[in-house]
Amino acid sequence: MTALPLAGLAAIVTGAGRGLGRAEALELARLGASVVVNDFGQPGRDGSGEASAGPAEEVAAEIRAAGGTAIAHTGDVADHQQARELVRLAVDTYGKLDILVNNAGILRDRMIFSMTESEWDAVIHVHLKGHFNTTHFAAAHWRERSKAAGGAVYGRIVNTSSEAFLAGSAGQPNYAAAKGGIVGLTTSTALALAKYGVTANAICPRARTRMTEDVFAGFEEPGEGQLDPLAPEHVAPLVGYLASPAAARVNGQLLVVHGGMVAVVERPKVAAKFDAAKEAFSYGELDELLTPYYADRPADETFAATEVLGLKRG
């Protein structure tokens, strides 16, 4: 019998009580990992409502019922100390931490001219600070282990970005900014932790969940007996792969994933370059160079949502 690729490894999945996080936690457990299922348990996708242990406990129970190993953690990863306790729980329970999957998030959508300070702060707090908090404590754990071992250890980070960052999303300036920040956090972490044997990658998942019910409203759904290309279960195998020993050479990468498709996103490239005739540009010279360049390009080079998603509305 072939050994499971994540056997003997311990994982944390945040925001794992529902949707993508749940599918990812189940997949890691299926591949052999012992899992800490984290979810603050608030019912509103905007982070509203009373916190509840129910979602995290239910997923942990589901993993155990299938023969896996899992415990629940119901803390808020946006709280620095609760994130510390989450990492400590994994280490105390399983003896170490090997895999961190950051997925927790909320939505508070509004156009930039209507968005309140609190709506901006809340989304940045949960997504970007939440990713930082858990990454900080996991990184410290791996660094200490590496020093004690005198060499590289096993560590995998999988962060959750979004195509709202890649392609823009008019009504989500807070969300797009947070997801862009997560990519920056990921690439910086990848460089910082590589010498310890740790990799850090980010995914841009497309999935039909509570968080995206508005985004995918009206997109055609599968017929009877057909597989939904937007099912969260399509995203989870990539997370399992990135968490595995097979992905040791994958580091600092951004990947878009949905049903039947994984796209590796290149880092930004220079599209055009202009040099000043003298030591510095003048306004007039820039006008002569840049205005014609942009005049020859399409007025709107931003992809429409259907083009970005590769989907058709029903």
Side-chain angles (χ1 to χ4, degrees):
M1 180 178 176
T2 304
L4 295 173
L6 303 185
L9 301 179
I12 289 171
V13 183
T14 73
R18 305 176 179 91
L20 273 173
R22 172 184 174 275
E24 292 162 355
L26 292 173
E27 177 71 2
L28 295 186
R30 189 188 70 81
L31 295 176
S34 299
V35 182
V36 179
V37 178
N38 162 264
D39 201 288
F40 197 35
Q42 291 173 302
R45 64 177 186 167
D46 62 351
S48 62
E50 291 295 325
S52 168
E57 295 283 5
E58 289 169 10
V59 174
E62 187 176 356
I63 289 172
R64 293 192 295 268
T69 302
I71 56 172
H73 178 270
T74 58
D76 179 4
V77 294
D79 181 285
H80 202 60
Q81 293 309 311
Q82 292 184 50
R84 181 201 297 270
E85 291 305 316
L86 171 59
V87 172
R88 183 176 294 164
L89 176 64
V91 175
D92 289 348
T93 304
Y94 301 129
K96 58 177 180 171
L97 173 66
D98 303 291
I99 300 161
L100 171 63
V101 179
N102 284 310
N103 177 73
I106 63 171
L107 289 177
R108 292 194 183 179
D109 295 352
R110 193 90 65 182
M111 298 296 283
I112 188 65
F113 43 77
S114 302
M115 181 164 287
T116 66
E117 182 182 11
S118 63
E119 288 167 339
W120 172 270
D121 288 348
V123 170
I124 298 297
H125 185 67
V126 175
H127 285 275
L128 188 51
K129 188 182 179 186
H131 273 60
F132 161 73
N133 285 342
T134 54
T135 298
H136 168 76
F137 292 113
H141 167 71
W142 288 319
R143 183 169 178 263
E144 290 173 7
R145 281 177 53 196
S146 177
K147 285 185 174 182
V153 297
Y154 191 99
R156 298 286 187 270
I157 299 171
V158 183
N159 289 331
T160 306
S161 183
S162 169
E163 287 171 296
F165 147 71
L166 284 174
S169 181
Q172 296 182 305
N174 48 4
Y175 183 75
K179 291 305 189 182
I182 286 167
V183 174
L185 172 65
T186 302
T187 54
S188 176
T189 301
L191 289 172
L193 300 187
K195 66 181 179 180
Y196 302 117
V198 179
T199 66
N201 296 285
I203 63 170
C204 293
R206 308 172 187 172
R208 202 188 307 272
T209 68
R210 181 181 61 145
M211 287 276 288
T212 61
E213 59 188 10
D214 294 340
V215 175
F216 297 121
F219 285 94
E220 58 185 15
E221 298 194 27
E224 187 176 351
Q226 294 180 322
L227 200 59
D228 185 356
L230 291 173
E233 288 73 19
H234 285 296
V235 174
L238 176 62
V239 173
Y241 167 75
L242 292 173
S244 76
R249 293 178 60 85
V250 185
N251 195 26
Q253 299 296 298
L254 176 64
L255 302 99
V256 177
V257 55
H258 77 126
M261 188 281 294
V262 172
V264 179
V265 179
E266 290 187 333
R267 295 193 179 190
K269 294 182 177 180
V270 175
K273 183 175 179 292
F274 303 93
D275 294 311
K278 297 181 180 180
E279 290 185 357
F281 277 112
S282 66
Y283 170 86
E285 189 179 5
L286 288 170
D287 182 26
E288 291 175 1
L289 292 171
L290 293 179
T291 301
Y293 173 75
Y294 283 104
D296 292 338
R297 298 169 75 85
D300 183 3
E301 292 188 326
T302 303
F303 293 130
T306 51
E307 292 171 329
V308 173
L309 296 172
L311 300 170
K312 296 180 180 179
R313 289 187 180 274

PDB file of all heavy atoms in Angstrom, residues 4-6 70 120 142 147 159 180 202 207 224-225 244 248 250 287 308:
ATOM      1  N   LEU A   4       0.491   7.551   2.391  1.00  0.00           N
ATOM      2  CA  LEU A   4      -0.175   8.815   2.114  1.00  0.00           C
ATOM      3  C   LEU A   4       0.860   9.935   2.122  1.00  0.00           C
ATOM      4  O   LEU A   4       1.752   9.968   2.973  1.00  0.00           O
ATOM      5  CB  LEU A   4      -1.244   9.075   3.167  1.00  0.00           C
ATOM      6  CG  LEU A   4      -2.424   8.089   3.178  1.00  0.00           C
ATOM      7  CD1 LEU A   4      -3.322   8.353   4.376  1.00  0.00           C
ATOM      8  CD2 LEU A   4      -3.214   8.193   1.887  1.00  0.00           C
ATOM      9  N   PRO A   5       0.772  10.886   1.187  1.00  0.00           N
ATOM     10  CA  PRO A   5       1.823  11.906   1.043  1.00  0.00           C
ATOM     11  C   PRO A   5       1.999  12.824   2.239  1.00  0.00           C
ATOM     12  O   PRO A   5       3.078  13.378   2.434  1.00  0.00           O
ATOM     13  CB  PRO A   5       1.393  12.690  -0.196  1.00  0.00           C
ATOM     14  CG  PRO A   5      -0.061  12.411  -0.364  1.00  0.00           C
ATOM     15  CD  PRO A   5      -0.260  11.019   0.141  1.00  0.00           C
ATOM     16  N   LEU A   6       0.952  12.984   3.036  1.00  0.00           N
ATOM     17  CA  LEU A   6       1.052  13.865   4.201  1.00  0.00           C
ATOM     18  C   LEU A   6       1.066  13.101   5.522  1.00  0.00           C
ATOM     19  O   LEU A   6       0.893  13.691   6.591  1.00  0.00           O
ATOM     20  CB  LEU A   6      -0.102  14.878   4.198  1.00  0.00           C
ATOM     21  CG  LEU A   6      -0.235  15.760   2.953  1.00  0.00           C
ATOM     22  CD1 LEU A   6      -1.339  16.799   3.159  1.00  0.00           C
ATOM     23  CD2 LEU A   6       1.077  16.445   2.598  1.00  0.00           C
ATOM     24  N   ALA A  70      -8.101  15.004  13.961  1.00  0.00           N
ATOM     25  CA  ALA A  70      -8.388  16.436  13.903  1.00  0.00           C
ATOM     26  C   ALA A  70      -8.884  16.938  15.247  1.00  0.00           C
ATOM     27  O   ALA A  70      -9.534  16.213  16.002  1.00  0.00           O
ATOM     28  CB  ALA A  70      -9.434  16.728  12.824  1.00  0.00           C
ATOM     29  N   TRP A 120     -13.184  49.279   5.642  1.00  0.00           N
ATOM     30  CA  TRP A 120     -11.821  49.066   5.162  1.00  0.00           C
ATOM     31  C   TRP A 120     -10.990  48.315   6.205  1.00  0.00           C
ATOM     32  O   TRP A 120     -10.370  47.294   5.916  1.00  0.00           O
ATOM     33  CB  TRP A 120     -11.166  50.421   4.848  1.00  0.00           C
ATOM     34  CG  TRP A 120      -9.712  50.308   4.524  1.00  0.00           C
ATOM     35  CD1 TRP A 120      -8.664  50.371   5.405  1.00  0.00           C
ATOM     36  CD2 TRP A 120      -9.132  50.089   3.237  1.00  0.00           C
ATOM     37  NE1 TRP A 120      -7.470  50.213   4.742  1.00  0.00           N
ATOM     38  CE2 TRP A 120      -7.721  50.041   3.420  1.00  0.00           C
ATOM     39  CE3 TRP A 120      -9.664  49.945   1.958  1.00  0.00           C
ATOM     40  CZ2 TRP A 120      -6.843  49.843   2.350  1.00  0.00           C
ATOM     41  CZ3 TRP A 120      -8.783  49.750   0.892  1.00  0.00           C
ATOM     42  CH2 TRP A 120      -7.393  49.701   1.089  1.00  0.00           C
ATOM     43  N   TRP A 142       9.288  27.217  13.024  1.00  0.00           N
ATOM     44  CA  TRP A 142      10.179  26.531  12.086  1.00  0.00           C
ATOM     45  C   TRP A 142      11.621  26.994  12.232  1.00  0.00           C
ATOM     46  O   TRP A 142      12.556  26.206  12.110  1.00  0.00           O
ATOM     47  CB  TRP A 142       9.681  26.725  10.657  1.00  0.00           C
ATOM     48  CG  TRP A 142       8.444  25.937  10.375  1.00  0.00           C
ATOM     49  CD1 TRP A 142       8.160  24.660  10.773  1.00  0.00           C
ATOM     50  CD2 TRP A 142       7.291  26.376   9.643  1.00  0.00           C
ATOM     51  NE1 TRP A 142       6.908  24.274  10.338  1.00  0.00           N
ATOM     52  CE2 TRP A 142       6.361  25.310   9.636  1.00  0.00           C
ATOM     53  CE3 TRP A 142       6.950  27.556   8.998  1.00  0.00           C
ATOM     54  CZ2 TRP A 142       5.118  25.386   9.005  1.00  0.00           C
ATOM     55  CZ3 TRP A 142       5.721  27.652   8.353  1.00  0.00           C
ATOM     56  CH2 TRP A 142       4.818  26.567   8.368  1.00  0.00           C
ATOM     57  N   LYS A 147      17.110  25.681  13.916  1.00  0.00           N
ATOM     58  CA  LYS A 147      18.313  25.937  14.710  1.00  0.00           C
ATOM     59  C   LYS A 147      18.655  24.731  15.584  1.00  0.00           C
ATOM     60  O   LYS A 147      19.824  24.353  15.720  1.00  0.00           O
ATOM     61  CB  LYS A 147      18.102  27.175  15.581  1.00  0.00           C
ATOM     62  CG  LYS A 147      18.164  28.488  14.808  1.00  0.00           C
ATOM     63  CD  LYS A 147      18.059  29.669  15.761  1.00  0.00           C
ATOM     64  CE  LYS A 147      18.275  30.985  15.033  1.00  0.00           C
ATOM     65  NZ  LYS A 147      18.224  32.145  15.950  1.00  0.00           N
ATOM     66  N   ASN A 159      -1.216  30.346   1.199  1.00  0.00           N
ATOM     67  CA  ASN A 159      -2.040  31.517   1.480  1.00  0.00           C
ATOM     68  C   ASN A 159      -3.129  31.675   0.424  1.00  0.00           C
ATOM     69  O   ASN A 159      -3.000  31.173  -0.697  1.00  0.00           O
ATOM     70  CB  ASN A 159      -1.178  32.777   1.522  1.00  0.00           C
ATOM     71  CG  ASN A 159      -0.293  32.830   2.752  1.00  0.00           C
ATOM     72  OD1 ASN A 159      -0.635  32.284   3.797  1.00  0.00           O
ATOM     73  ND2 ASN A 159       0.845  33.493   2.646  1.00  0.00           N
ATOM     74  N   GLY A 180      -3.981  41.610  -2.505  1.00  0.00           N
ATOM     75  CA  GLY A 180      -2.693  41.991  -3.056  1.00  0.00           C
ATOM     76  C   GLY A 180      -1.607  41.977  -1.999  1.00  0.00           C
ATOM     77  O   GLY A 180      -0.483  41.533  -2.240  1.00  0.00           O
ATOM     78  N   ALA A 202       0.862  31.108  -2.792  1.00  0.00           N
ATOM     79  CA  ALA A 202      -0.495  31.652  -2.688  1.00  0.00           C
ATOM     80  C   ALA A 202      -1.345  31.142  -3.836  1.00  0.00           C
ATOM     81  O   ALA A 202      -0.839  30.911  -4.947  1.00  0.00           O
ATOM     82  CB  ALA A 202      -0.461  33.178  -2.704  1.00  0.00           C
ATOM     83  N   ALA A 207     -14.398  29.508  -6.489  1.00  0.00           N
ATOM     84  CA  ALA A 207     -15.268  28.504  -5.885  1.00  0.00           C
ATOM     85  C   ALA A 207     -16.586  29.129  -5.478  1.00  0.00           C
ATOM     86  O   ALA A 207     -16.641  30.297  -5.079  1.00  0.00           O
ATOM     87  CB  ALA A 207     -14.593  27.859  -4.672  1.00  0.00           C
ATOM     88  N   GLU A 224     -27.995  18.095 -13.816  1.00  0.00           N
ATOM     89  CA  GLU A 224     -28.058  16.910 -12.960  1.00  0.00           C
ATOM     90  C   GLU A 224     -26.990  15.907 -13.377  1.00  0.00           C
ATOM     91  O   GLU A 224     -26.843  15.576 -14.548  1.00  0.00           O
ATOM     92  CB  GLU A 224     -29.449  16.271 -13.059  1.00  0.00           C
ATOM     93  CG  GLU A 224     -29.660  15.135 -12.080  1.00  0.00           C
ATOM     94  CD  GLU A 224     -31.074  14.585 -12.118  1.00  0.00           C
ATOM     95  OE1 GLU A 224     -31.932  15.208 -12.789  1.00  0.00           O
ATOM     96  OE2 GLU A 224     -31.314  13.539 -11.485  1.00  0.00           O
ATOM     97  N   GLY A 225     -26.217  15.454 -12.393  1.00  0.00           N
ATOM     98  CA  GLY A 225     -25.174  14.476 -12.656  1.00  0.00           C
ATOM     99  C   GLY A 225     -23.865  15.077 -13.133  1.00  0.00           C
ATOM    100  O   GLY A 225     -22.879  14.355 -13.299  1.00  0.00           O
ATOM    101  N   SER A 244       2.620  19.213   0.209  1.00  0.00           N
ATOM    102  CA  SER A 244       3.273  17.905   0.198  1.00  0.00           C
ATOM    103  C   SER A 244       4.768  17.992  -0.101  1.00  0.00           C
ATOM    104  O   SER A 244       5.262  19.010  -0.605  1.00  0.00           O
ATOM    105  CB  SER A 244       2.614  17.016  -0.856  1.00  0.00           C
ATOM    106  OG  SER A 244       3.052  17.396  -2.159  1.00  0.00           O
ATOM    107  N   ALA A 248       8.388  20.573  -3.100  1.00  0.00           N
ATOM    108  CA  ALA A 248       9.541  21.174  -2.426  1.00  0.00           C
ATOM    109  C   ALA A 248      10.175  22.301  -3.242  1.00  0.00           C
ATOM    110  O   ALA A 248      10.747  23.232  -2.689  1.00  0.00           O
ATOM    111  CB  ALA A 248      10.584  20.105  -2.113  1.00  0.00           C
ATOM    112  N   VAL A 250       8.513  24.290  -5.326  1.00  0.00           N
ATOM    113  CA  VAL A 250       7.521  25.323  -5.629  1.00  0.00           C
ATOM    114  C   VAL A 250       7.541  26.327  -4.480  1.00  0.00           C
ATOM    115  O   VAL A 250       7.135  26.013  -3.369  1.00  0.00           O
ATOM    116  CB  VAL A 250       6.111  24.705  -5.789  1.00  0.00           C
ATOM    117  CG1 VAL A 250       5.113  25.777  -6.214  1.00  0.00           C
ATOM    118  CG2 VAL A 250       6.137  23.556  -6.788  1.00  0.00           C
ATOM    119  N   ASP A 287       4.936  63.782 -22.278  1.00  0.00           N
ATOM    120  CA  ASP A 287       3.712  63.906 -23.077  1.00  0.00           C
ATOM    121  C   ASP A 287       3.919  63.330 -24.474  1.00  0.00           C
ATOM    122  O   ASP A 287       3.076  62.606 -25.006  1.00  0.00           O
ATOM    123  CB  ASP A 287       3.312  65.381 -23.139  1.00  0.00           C
ATOM    124  CG  ASP A 287       2.026  65.616 -23.913  1.00  0.00           C
ATOM    125  OD1 ASP A 287       1.197  64.676 -23.983  1.00  0.00           O
ATOM    126  OD2 ASP A 287       1.845  66.722 -24.437  1.00  0.00           O
ATOM    127  N   VAL A 308     -12.316  36.953 -17.195  1.00  0.00           N
ATOM    128  CA  VAL A 308     -11.385  36.563 -16.148  1.00  0.00           C
ATOM    129  C   VAL A 308     -11.734  35.179 -15.616  1.00  0.00           C
ATOM    130  O   VAL A 308     -10.879  34.323 -15.414  1.00  0.00           O
ATOM    131  CB  VAL A 308     -11.403  37.587 -14.997  1.00  0.00           C
ATOM    132  CG1 VAL A 308     -10.575  37.105 -13.835  1.00  0.00           C
ATOM    133  CG2 VAL A 308     -10.889  38.930 -15.500  1.00  0.00           C
TER     134      VAL A 308
END
